[in-house]
Amino acid sequence: MRDRRKLLIAATALFALALTGPTPGWSAGPIPVVATFSILGDMVERIGGEKVAVTMLVGPNGDAHVYQPIPEDARALSQAEILVVNGLSFEGWLDRLVEASHFAGVRVVASDGIEPIAFANHDHHDAFDPHAWQSLANALVYVDNITEALATSDPGNADFYYRNRAAYVAEIEVLEAEIRKLFAELPADRRTVVTSHDAFGYFSEAYGLHFVAPHGVSTESEASATDVAALIRQIRQEGIEAVFLESITDSRLLEQITRETGASIGGTLYSDALSGPDGPASTYLDMMRYNATTLARALSA
Ligand code: ZN
């Protein structure tokens, strides 16, 4: 009788241990990692390779500003060892989800250490532009933060992660030189671009462009009639010719603006999400290259 009770206690303890989730070095399979959106997910996969199993909460073509978590998200988080987030108040819906999921792993803020750009909306208390991934220099910081987190959680494979990091960094540097060259010769009066929301602050700072948008730094805010009228005036006055749609936002407002100003649609940009696997921006590097070439082609036409 006593033995049976002991056995039951042991079985209960084992069950409880299993419920607390995977422990580093305990399970032999890939590390379960959750990334909040597709761009971070791609970076984690580049560095982690087959040693990680990545779940993206907001997938390709999804808008992370206005995301509404689903029950599967909490389930994925409850089993994750690492959660990679952008930070800079980008994922406003995340804290409640993390709490509800009883996530017990390590939370990595990919943007930690970048120089954030403040935005003009001073009555808003989150005064930093969250779209830091739109500069390749910042991507190097993201890559370092992700690599450190993987190497710390899984020290046995640290060399593997550092090797992948080195190869990735080399590609980022090549692309940075390519993009600089694309914009180097552009005259000053051909550097203003209209997009739907203010997602390209870091991009414009890096490459000397100027973006204007009817929506603010979040797709959440409605563009007011006054803002739209001011934008239309600015497009006419400055002779801005290129208006770019975004894959994650409704194009109707921008189409109306082009009709009223005679500006033309220069293409579609990928701001906050990758494209699907068959699209032109299915990886972070492809996204940066596609945006830059689309912009450069329209601006120099
Ligand atoms: Zn955005």
Side-chain angles (χ1 to χ4, degrees):
M1 176 71 185
R2 192 183 291 162
D3 276 358
R4 246 185 87 186
R5 235 184 101 188
K6 256 192 207 159
L7 209 64
L8 196 69
I9 291 169
T12 311
L14 203 65
F15 184 63
L17 197 67
L19 274 184
T20 59
T23 313
W26 202 58
S27 59
I31 305 179
V33 180
V34 169
T36 50
F37 68 117
S38 52
I39 291 165
L40 293 181
D42 175 58
M43 290 179 173
V44 176
E45 278 173 350
R46 267 303 302 256
I47 302 158
E50 74 270 16
K51 314 282 187 209
V52 296
V54 181
T55 303
M56 302 174 198
L57 301 183
V58 185
N61 294 314
D63 182 353
H65 288 290
V66 293
Y67 182 64
Q68 290 188 321
I70 52 172
E72 283 77 27
D73 296 339
R75 212 167 305 140
L77 265 175
S78 70
Q79 290 160 6
E81 272 183 44
I82 300 174
L83 166 62
V84 184
V85 311
N86 182 69
L88 300 170
S89 304
F90 182 56
E91 302 101 335
W93 40 268
L94 185 69
D95 283 344
R96 269 178 61 191
L97 173 67
V98 168
E99 210 168 301
S101 73
H102 305 292
F103 169 67
V106 179
R107 182 164 168 158
V108 183
V109 180
S111 68
D112 247 3
I114 66 116
E115 189 85 46
I117 296 178
F119 66 87
N121 187 6
H122 289 301
D123 52 10
H124 201 279
H125 38 245
D126 299 322
F128 293 112
D129 179 347
H131 306 88
W133 62 85
Q134 285 293 347
S135 119
L136 288 166
N138 287 345
L140 294 176
V141 177
Y142 279 51
V143 166
D144 278 349
N145 288 330
I146 293 166
T147 307
E148 287 304 321
L150 293 177
T152 307
S153 287
D154 182 20
N157 287 313
D159 282 351
F160 173 84
Y161 301 127
Y162 284 117
R163 269 201 310 277
N164 285 352
R165 174 192 168 276
Y168 199 20
V169 165
E171 277 185 57
I172 292 172
E173 284 167 351
V174 167
L175 182 58
E176 171 75 357
E178 234 176 82
I179 295 180
R180 287 204 174 282
K181 214 170 138 201
L182 274 177
F183 294 118
E185 313 263 284
L186 220 51
D189 62 347
R190 303 212 61 126
R191 288 179 172 268
T192 303
V193 173
V194 179
T195 51
S196 130
H197 87 296
D198 257 327
F200 295 94
Y202 295 88
F203 190 98
S204 47
E205 207 178 76
Y207 308 113
L209 299 182
H210 179 56
F211 284 75
V212 287
H215 294 278
V217 291
S218 174
T219 55
E220 256 175 311
S221 62
E222 282 290 319
S224 74
T226 324
D227 291 345
V228 174
L231 182 62
I232 287 174
R233 249 193 332 272
Q234 186 183 1
I235 293 172
R236 286 182 179 144
Q237 272 165 11
E238 296 179 20
I240 299 171
E241 282 163 35
V243 173
F244 292 84
L245 307 179
E246 283 176 54
S247 63
I248 60 159
T249 55
D250 192 328
S251 59
R252 279 173 298 185
L253 177 59
L254 285 186
E255 280 160 357
Q256 176 207 331
I257 289 171
T258 56
R259 275 196 306 275
E260 289 186 30
T261 57
S264 55
I265 305 277
T268 297
L269 301 179
Y270 291 83
S271 52
D272 298 15
L274 301 178
S275 68
D278 299 328
S282 64
T283 68
Y284 170 69
L285 292 183
D286 282 350
M287 176 192 84
M288 293 301 285
R289 184 179 288 110
Y290 182 80
N291 285 345
T293 47
T294 303
L295 285 162
R297 192 184 308 122
L299 291 172
S300 50

